[in-house]
Amino acid sequence: ELMKREVARAGQDANRVLIDVATGSAAMLREALRLSPTVLVPVVPDMASVVSLQSLETFFSNQEGLSGQPLRAWYVLNQFDPSMPLQLDVREVLRQQLGERLLPFAIHRSTAVSEALAEGMTVIDYAPNSPAAEDIMHLVTWIRNTTAAVTTSQRGMRWSER
């Protein structure tokens, strides 16, 4: 209930709310999943991601959204470097295992992201013309096109009533 209240309060003037939950925080993740979200999992293109994929998929398949259906996660490659053959191979393995649930674009590795964070800024504000900012905007467009915005008529409703 506390999380629902906090999300409702923080997202009062928003159409969508993004919750970044650490992988190791299963309790917080379960609470976030009760809000029936679109789940987006950033994965780095390494073998650890390939190995842990099945346990993630099992975890999500055992969680139900408000519709009573198991939740299915979407995945986006983060810190991707297409000049590295291993990362290209990992991307292909993930594509074979996830199909359309691996987003067709990646967030490329960029020093602009670290530099922006060091300045307390987003990469879009810090380096708006950088490839990383372009990647983030692809992700924003995907989120806007994939997730339903909260309508004004729902703003006064409890999350559990939506």
Side-chain angles (χ1 to χ4, degrees):
E1 288 303 313
L2 176 63
M3 181 177 205
K4 287 180 185 178
R5 285 195 306 271
E6 286 298 311
V7 168
R9 183 189 58 74
Q12 226 169 13
D13 297 322
N15 290 329
R16 292 172 184 84
V17 176
L18 179 66
I19 303 173
D20 184 359
V21 179
T23 334
S25 178
M28 181 63 94
L29 182 56
R30 280 189 192 88
E31 286 303 310
L33 293 176
R34 296 170 101 200
L35 301 173
S36 194
T38 297
V39 177
L40 178 64
V41 180
V43 292
V44 291
D46 62 14
M47 290 311 294
S49 295
V50 172
V51 170
S52 64
L53 182 64
Q54 188 56 46
S55 63
L56 269 174
E57 287 286 276
T58 300
F59 175 81
F60 289 122
S61 70
N62 290 324
Q63 307 300 313
E64 289 184 359
L66 292 177
S67 66
Q69 298 296 317
L71 290 173
R72 293 185 64 200
W74 297 87
Y75 296 82
V76 63
L77 280 176
N78 193 20
Q79 301 179 22
F80 181 64
D81 183 348
S83 70
M84 302 196 58
L86 177 62
Q87 291 192 15
L88 293 170
D89 291 344
V90 168
R91 180 180 65 181
E92 187 54 35
V93 168
L94 292 172
R95 185 175 290 136
Q96 289 173 6
Q97 292 182 6
L98 296 168
E100 69 176 7
R101 292 184 304 120
L102 178 64
L103 299 188
F105 54 86
I107 310 299
H108 291 84
R109 177 179 290 284
S110 171
T111 58
V113 174
S114 299
E115 292 166 3
L117 290 173
E119 294 293 327
M121 301 172 73
T122 69
V123 72
I124 294 170
D125 293 324
Y126 179 80
N129 297 321
S130 69
E134 185 177 319
D135 294 339
I136 298 295
M137 290 311 298
H138 283 293
L139 183 58
V140 167
T141 300
W142 180 86
I143 290 170
R144 285 181 177 155
N145 292 335
T146 304
T147 63
V150 174
T151 62
T152 307
S153 64
Q154 291 180 327
R155 288 197 189 270
M157 298 174 72
R158 293 185 174 142
W159 281 93
S160 60
E161 295 171 338
R162 292 184 188 171

